[in-house]
Amino acid sequence: MRIGFIISLIFAILVALFGIQNSSVISVNFFSTKFNISLALVIFVAAIIGAIVVTLLGLQKEFKLSRDNKRMTKKSKNFENEIETSKSEIVDLKIENESLKSKTEALQIVIEALETKNKTFNDEVSSLNVEIKRLNTNLTNEPESIN
């Protein structure tokens, strides 16, 4: 910003020197109107109009940048909020995952216990089947011995 100000100041001094050195009266035609005016005054008016135009264009660019900056800041805040929400969701999901892991481990223990009971039950059923067969065999053999 300081460099721009220094360059503008040097340019203004050069325009002033140029205007002072060329201060003769000239004839100016502007839209079908004819003026007799000092060349220095024409130079100063042209320089001032140029400065105003450049300032207006700079302000337009600055307003656009300011508006874009506000929009980007708002987007950034929205993204930050989404990130925070996602982080809390991740923590919740990790807690839920750990809970489900512990429930799975507990169910695995229950399944193992049930499998052990099932094996014991199957062994008992097998031994009872053997006993039933033995008793059936004994029953079928006893009537023969009675006869």
Side-chain angles (χ1 to χ4, degrees):
M1 188 70 178
R2 289 183 180 175
I3 293 174
F5 177 73
I6 292 171
I7 291 172
S8 298
L9 190 59
I10 290 171
F11 182 72
I13 291 170
L14 289 174
V15 168
L17 288 174
F18 183 76
I20 290 170
Q21 289 177 356
N22 296 294
S23 60
S24 62
V25 176
I26 61 167
S27 177
V28 176
N29 292 321
F30 186 68
F31 292 119
S32 78
T33 305
K34 192 171 190 174
F35 295 80
N36 285 328
I37 192 164
S38 169
L39 179 61
L41 189 58
V42 171
I43 292 170
F44 288 137
V45 169
I48 289 171
I49 291 172
I52 290 171
V53 167
V54 168
T55 302
L56 291 175
L57 293 174
L59 285 175
Q60 177 190 10
K61 183 177 181 180
E62 189 174 324
F63 285 135
K64 183 179 182 265
L65 288 174
S66 176
R67 186 182 68 228
D68 289 345
N69 188 23
K70 286 179 184 177
R71 187 172 43 90
M72 291 298 180
T73 302
K74 187 177 180 180
K75 275 187 176 181
S76 173
K77 286 181 182 178
N78 288 341
F79 285 138
E80 287 174 0
N81 289 339
E82 286 180 21
I83 288 171
E84 290 302 318
T85 302
S86 296
K87 283 180 180 178
S88 65
E89 287 175 358
I90 288 171
V91 169
D92 291 343
L93 288 173
K94 283 182 179 179
I95 292 170
E96 184 179 353
N97 187 23
E98 290 301 319
S99 171
L100 290 174
K101 279 182 183 179
S102 64
K103 286 179 181 179
T104 302
E105 290 170 359
L107 287 174
Q108 191 66 30
I109 292 170
V110 169
I111 288 171
E112 289 173 3
L114 288 173
E115 285 176 347
T116 304
K117 285 182 181 180
N118 188 28
K119 185 177 179 192
T120 305
F121 177 73
N122 283 339
D123 290 345
E124 287 179 14
V125 167
S126 293
S127 66
L128 287 174
N129 280 336
V130 168
E131 184 67 25
I132 289 172
K133 282 182 184 178
R134 189 185 61 79
L135 289 174
N136 280 339
T137 307
N138 285 342
L139 280 176
T140 54
N141 287 340
E142 280 183 20
E144 290 175 6
S145 57
I146 298 177
N147 289 332

